[in-house]
Amino acid sequence: MTDSPLLSTGEFARMCCVSRELLVHYDKIGLLKPKKVEGNGYRYYSLRQLYLFDVIRFFIDTGMSTKEVRDYLENRSTDLFLDTIQESIDALGRQRDLLTARIGMMEKMRYLTQRAASFPKGKAKLAFWDET
């Protein structure tokens, strides 16, 4: 089996649509180590690491911290993956519920303000914060 071609940090970053600096940061915190580091410090990544990068970004996009992602990658298993996904689904559901409640409150405030504005001038204040 042949080794996957190596890509420079810049090439890998372009393929992932991120900055070189993010890849350097991931390397420094142990999240995504390059396949090879030359004596001059140049980092090279394997095409096979694209999948790993996608997994990292997926978990970060679901709200996991880089530490949580690193812990998962160090101990990954199918059961842990499923548990991690379920935790993310639960957390996003709680965020959705909170946002839905906030939207409802804002719609109610908009409705009440529009209703108050429809009264003849001098009969009602425009809004509870309006001093006139």
Side-chain angles (χ1 to χ4, degrees):
M1 186 159 144
T2 60
D3 284 337
S4 176
L6 296 180
L7 304 166
S8 70
T9 303
E11 292 168 328
F12 194 80
R14 280 190 294 281
M15 290 185 81
C16 297
C17 299
V18 296
S19 69
R20 287 180 67 259
E21 290 76 18
L22 180 66
L23 293 177
V24 171
H25 173 68
Y26 282 1
D27 180 17
K28 286 181 181 175
I29 65 172
L31 193 54
L32 180 63
K33 293 285 190 188
K35 177 85 171 165
K36 181 179 181 182
V37 178
E38 294 287 342
N40 60 7
Y42 285 18
R43 295 168 169 86
Y44 293 93
Y45 295 84
S46 164
L47 284 173
R48 293 178 184 198
Q49 288 179 290
L50 287 170
Y51 173 76
L52 182 57
F53 179 84
D54 286 342
V55 169
I56 292 167
R57 291 309 300 176
F58 169 78
F59 281 126
I60 288 173
D61 289 347
T62 64
M64 286 177 68
S65 71
T66 53
K67 182 189 178 319
E68 290 170 321
V69 175
R70 188 179 63 237
D71 291 346
Y72 165 75
L73 292 174
E74 290 172 355
N75 303 295
R76 61 185 150 192
S77 69
T78 301
D79 288 339
L80 181 57
F81 178 79
L82 293 173
D83 290 345
T84 302
I85 291 295
Q86 188 59 53
E87 288 172 14
S88 293
I89 290 169
D90 294 345
L92 290 171
R94 287 188 298 275
Q95 289 177 4
R96 180 197 56 224
D97 294 345
L98 179 62
L99 290 172
T100 299
R102 286 181 179 168
I103 290 169
M105 289 176 10
M106 292 176 75
E107 287 174 339
K108 185 175 181 179
M109 288 175 63
R110 180 185 64 199
Y111 169 77
L112 292 173
T113 302
Q114 287 172 333
R115 232 175 133 220
S118 69
F119 284 104
K121 195 151 182 82
K123 295 286 185 181
K125 292 183 178 180
L126 180 58
F128 61 88
W129 59 85
D130 193 357
E131 292 294 325
T132 59

